[in-house]
């Protein structure tokens, strides 16, 4: 190895970054300095979390749309609204809405959620919609929202790992709910358990250790929930006193997903996990123990109040088509659900124009969302607007609709971790029609050819969690939804939202609503 390759950035922990007054004193207790060392087995240290984008976006733009959209459906205009919506999340971070600001978002039950709803209502008002209303929601008394206020996961340095092996903070670590550490801090040796299947675990003693399991999501983390949660539970049953889920996704992102996976349990981002795996490999050669120190302060929130925003474009008929997008999201949430909400607002502007006025009444709902337990925007909307269940002929839920697709890159980061790069289209969109109406399915089938939307090739009757809240409407319910791997992570930023993609889906949905508006009720609900 050439000598310069061993010159690496090493983070030195400031001594002041200790627990003060029961809370982790600083979110960024480390500083960077360049040293020449054989520390940490000579491995490249992981980068600060979200230091570089999870997905590289090159200079080549995504495929353009066909010209001819009305201004309200123009991608660049919709993108500006996504930016505004992301701004409410950024504000939540800057104002330290949650604890010390390590966790942020547009959170139902917090000012960030309400502010986003108020913005949507303001847009509805400006577009000339009628009956613009703010409807409040009280959190179900039996439910609570667990949130981490401050935390830190540190790999404990040891000269046995090489001279100068100082503590390393895994900045992408994020506790999984409802993790808790009674005295706020815990130090224990780590044990690597791979995929933590029973066949592996029969050979490994995890007692008194923090088990480190590898999670390689095939799509988004949703698909891994069952396996991760049950395996983590099994690890705790076998005596593990904590679990780390190494989430092998692009970049070094914080991810808010999984639950009840052992106490305490943390998700660790891609490059931190990559580093940790290599450390554990090297340590195993010398039969060395690697220890981690966890500090964690949490809070359980009850009695929260949130808001739905509702507005109407009255038609000649009282029969209604309901359009819904949830406003809540973790971190920046540009794709979950900044893009969906911006498209909802664009459609309100579109159908409010005299030349696009529908026959049926259109009801627009900026829903408080479904991320906060005990708060469900759609359910509250059905309860607060009993006439909806009577009048609705169809519901469309617009959720995660314009993130760019990405692929593993040909390049790797300086630490050898594979990079990811955006391509020229959007991530696949699944469209579910709960009643499998052939009329609606045919309209959806025509989407890719007519509007260039990247719908998956299979018809489906699936519904998303947000759509599930609309169970009170016994009509066709359409969920339009991407399942991009970075959702619920800090990697879901404005940069990965496709501007033409916003226009494609907005134009398709305008077409779908107009076609359904003209169709008799029996064709929509055969
Ligand atoms: Zn969502």
């Amino acid at each position: 190895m050439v000598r310069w390759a061993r010159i690496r950035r090493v983070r030195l922990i400031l001594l002041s970054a200790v627990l003060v007054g029961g809370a982790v004193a600083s979110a960024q207790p480390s500083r960077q300095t360049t040293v020449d060392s054989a520390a940490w087995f000579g491995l490249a240290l992981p980068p600060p979390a979200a230091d570089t984008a999870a997905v590289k976006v090159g200079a080549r733009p995504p495929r353009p749309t066909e010209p001819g959209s009305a201004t309200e459906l123009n991608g660049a205009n919709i993108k500006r609204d996504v930016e505004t919506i992301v701004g409410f999340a950024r504000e939540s971070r800057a104002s330290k809405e949650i604890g010390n600001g390590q966790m942020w978002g547009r959170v139902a039950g917090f000012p960030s959620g309400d502010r986003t709803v108020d913005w949507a209502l303001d847009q509805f008002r400006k577009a000339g919609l009628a009956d613009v209303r703010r409807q409040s929601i009280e959190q179900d008394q039996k439910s609570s929202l667990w949130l981490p206020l401050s935390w830190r996961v540190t790999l404990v340095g040891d000269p046995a790992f090489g001279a100068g092996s100082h503590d390393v903070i895994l900045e992408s670590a994020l506790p999984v709910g409802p993790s808790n550490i009674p005295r706020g801090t815990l130090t224990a040796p780590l044990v690597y358990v791979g995929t933590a299947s029973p066949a592996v675990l029969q050979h490994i003693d995890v007692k008194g250790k923090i088990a480190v399991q590898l999670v390689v999501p095939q799509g988004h983390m949703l698909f891994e929930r069952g396996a991760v949660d049950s395996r983590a539970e099994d690890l705790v049953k076998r005596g593990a006193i904590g679990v780390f889920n190494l989430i092998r996704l692009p970049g070094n992102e914080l991810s808010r997903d999984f639950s009840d996976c052992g106490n305490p349990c943390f998700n660790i981002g891609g490059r931190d996990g990559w580093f940790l795996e290599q450390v554990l490999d090297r340590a195993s050669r010398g039969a060395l123990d690697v220890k981690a120190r966890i500090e964690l302060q949490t809070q359980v929130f009850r009695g929260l109040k949130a808001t739905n925003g509702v507005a109407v474009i009255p038609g000649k008929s009282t029969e209604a088509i309901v359009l819904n997008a949830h406003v809540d999201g973790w971190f920046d949430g540009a794709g979950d659900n900044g893009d969906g909400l911006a498209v909802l607002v664009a459609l309100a502007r579109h159908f409010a124009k005299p030349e696009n006025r529908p026959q049926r009444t259109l009801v627009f709902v900026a829903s408080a969302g479904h991320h906060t337990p005990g708060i469900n925007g759609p359910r509250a909307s059905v309860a607060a607007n009993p006439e909806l269940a009577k009048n609705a002929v169809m519901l469309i839920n617009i959720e995660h609709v314009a993130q760019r697709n990405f692929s593993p890159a040909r390049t790797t980061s300086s630490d050898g971790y594979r990079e990811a790069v955006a391509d020229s289209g959007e991530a696949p969109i699944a469209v579910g029609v709960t009643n499998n109406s052939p009329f609606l399915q045919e309209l959806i089938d025509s989407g890719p050819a007519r509007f260039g939307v990247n719908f998956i090739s299979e018809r489906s009757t699936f519904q998303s969690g947000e759509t599930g809240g609309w169970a009170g409407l016994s009509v066709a319910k359409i969920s339009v939804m991407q399942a991009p791997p970075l959702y619920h992570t800090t990697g879901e930023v404005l940069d990965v939202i496709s501007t033409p993609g916003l226009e494609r889906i907005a134009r398709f949905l305008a077409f779908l609503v107009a076609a359904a508006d003209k169709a008799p009720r029996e064709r929509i609900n055969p």
Side-chain angles (χ1 to χ4, degrees):
M1 189 190 290
V2 292
R3 185 166 169 77
W4 56 262
R6 300 184 66 89
I7 297 178
R8 295 165 297 108
R9 300 173 93 194
V10 172
R11 265 174 278 166
L12 299 177
I13 309 304
L14 293 178
L15 286 172
S16 63
V18 294
L19 281 175
V20 173
V24 180
S26 164
Q28 282 167 326
S30 59
R31 64 179 169 186
Q32 304 270 336
T33 180
T34 303
V35 298
D36 180 357
S37 91
W40 290 98
F41 309 103
L43 295 165
L45 290 183
D51 192 31
T52 49
V55 174
K56 293 194 297 181
V57 177
R60 278 184 208 143
R63 279 181 296 109
T65 48
E66 297 291 311
S69 277
T71 44
E72 73 276 5
L73 301 183
N74 174 277
N77 292 339
I78 302 176
K79 181 80 167 274
R80 264 192 291 279
D81 282 344
V82 181
E83 191 171 356
T84 302
I85 295 162
V86 167
F88 295 116
R90 289 286 174 97
E91 208 177 309
S92 153
R93 185 184 197 182
S95 67
K96 302 194 164 121
E97 183 177 49
I98 299 166
N100 67 1
Q102 281 174 279
M103 183 80 218
W104 71 95
R106 295 178 297 276
V107 187
F110 286 71
S112 54
D114 282 356
R115 261 182 226 135
T116 314
V117 171
D118 286 341
W119 171 84
L121 288 177
D122 203 34
Q123 302 313 305
F124 292 154
R125 229 174 264 121
K126 284 179 183 150
L129 272 66
D131 232 350
V132 179
R133 274 170 295 162
R134 209 174 187 272
Q135 299 187 315
S136 59
I137 307 172
E138 298 203 354
Q139 189 182 28
D140 187 322
Q141 286 180 356
K142 290 189 237 57
S143 303
S144 58
L145 172 64
W146 169 95
L147 283 174
L149 301 182
S150 66
W151 67 92
R152 186 164 55 210
V153 171
T154 309
L155 289 186
V156 180
D158 187 327
F161 306 154
S165 295
H166 299 286
D167 289 359
V168 169
I169 295 174
L170 301 181
E171 291 184 16
S172 67
L174 180 68
V176 171
S179 291
N180 185 43
I181 304 177
R183 271 183 290 276
T185 179
L186 165 82
T187 303
L190 300 174
V191 58
Y192 189 72
V193 297
T195 55
S197 63
V200 171
L201 291 185
Q202 66 171 331
H203 305 292
I204 303 175
D205 181 12
V206 299
K207 273 193 208 75
K209 296 177 179 168
I210 297 168
V212 179
Q213 70 166 330
L214 179 63
V215 182
V216 185
Q218 289 185 45
H220 61 13
M221 283 177 289
L222 171 70
F223 300 152
E224 315 303 326
R225 280 177 196 163
V228 170
D229 296 357
S230 66
R231 285 181 175 172
E233 233 169 79
D234 185 26
L235 285 164
V236 172
K237 241 181 251 149
R238 290 169 189 260
I241 57 171
V243 177
F244 286 171
N245 304 316
L246 306 187
I247 312 290
R248 190 165 284 174
L249 279 176
N252 205 27
E253 307 306 311
L254 282 76
S255 52
R256 167 128 184 153
D257 212 298
F258 309 131
S259 61
D260 296 313
C261 77
N263 199 4
C265 175
F266 279 74
N267 290 337
I268 311 262
R271 289 176 73 181
D272 277 346
W274 178 246
F275 173 72
L276 180 52
E277 277 185 280
Q278 293 177 84
V279 166
L280 292 171
D281 275 347
R282 303 293 174 94
S284 73
R285 292 180 204 160
L288 301 168
D289 260 354
V290 180
K291 288 198 182 90
R293 181 170 61 250
I294 308 173
E295 296 151 67
L296 176 63
Q297 300 296 326
T298 67
Q299 191 176 338
V300 172
F301 294 85
R302 293 177 210 279
L304 296 172
K305 286 185 177 52
T307 309
N308 273 340
V310 186
V312 164
I313 297 176
K316 292 197 181 76
S317 158
T318 53
E319 284 192 346
I321 295 174
V322 184
L323 292 107
N324 175 85
H326 73 85
V327 311
D328 64 342
W330 298 118
F331 309 113
D332 284 10
D336 177 8
N337 186 27
D339 53 2
L341 179 60
V343 168
L344 178 83
V345 166
L347 291 170
R349 291 179 189 135
H350 178 74
F351 286 107
K353 285 184 158 177
E355 63 270 32
N356 301 325
R357 282 278 173 147
Q359 294 295 309
R360 292 192 168 106
T361 295
L362 298 188
V363 180
F364 290 83
V365 181
S367 150
H370 56 273
H371 290 171
T372 298
I375 292 177
N376 187 289
R379 224 181 294 135
S381 204
V382 174
N385 307 290
E387 74 288 353
L388 261 190
K390 212 167 64 227
N391 297 337
V393 293
M394 184 175 102
L395 167 109
I396 302 177
N397 174 43
I398 309 165
E399 189 170 1
H400 327 165
V401 288
Q403 278 192 60
R404 286 183 73 162
N405 203 18
F406 64 84
S407 308
R410 303 221 157 214
T411 49
T412 56
S413 301
S414 52
D415 54 7
Y417 196 64
R418 187 151 305 281
E419 296 186 300
V421 63
D423 63 31
S424 63
E426 291 82 48
I429 301 173
V431 189
V433 181
T434 50
N435 69 354
N436 210 14
S437 147
F439 165 67
L440 294 175
Q441 291 287 22
E442 278 161 31
L443 291 175
I444 292 159
D445 291 347
S446 74
R450 291 186 66 157
F451 300 95
V453 285
N454 187 19
F455 292 164
I456 61 164
S457 61
E458 194 179 46
R459 287 186 177 184
S460 168
T461 57
F462 99 98
Q463 60 175 1
S464 70
E466 175 78 5
T467 306
W470 287 103
L473 306 189
S474 41
V475 293
K477 290 184 280 275
I478 301 177
S479 302
V480 184
M481 193 183 202
Q482 288 180 324
L486 291 173
Y487 105 129
H488 290 182
T489 78
T490 47
E492 207 202 83
V493 294
L494 190 66
D495 256 8
V496 297
I497 301 300
S498 161
T499 302
L502 288 164
E503 187 165 326
R504 278 190 262 279
I505 194 69
R507 287 174 69 173
F508 167 75
L509 289 172
F511 154 79
L512 179 67
V513 170
D517 180 48
K518 290 183 194 79
R521 194 180 180 124
E522 315 77 67
R523 289 199 78 193
I524 299 170
N525 297 287

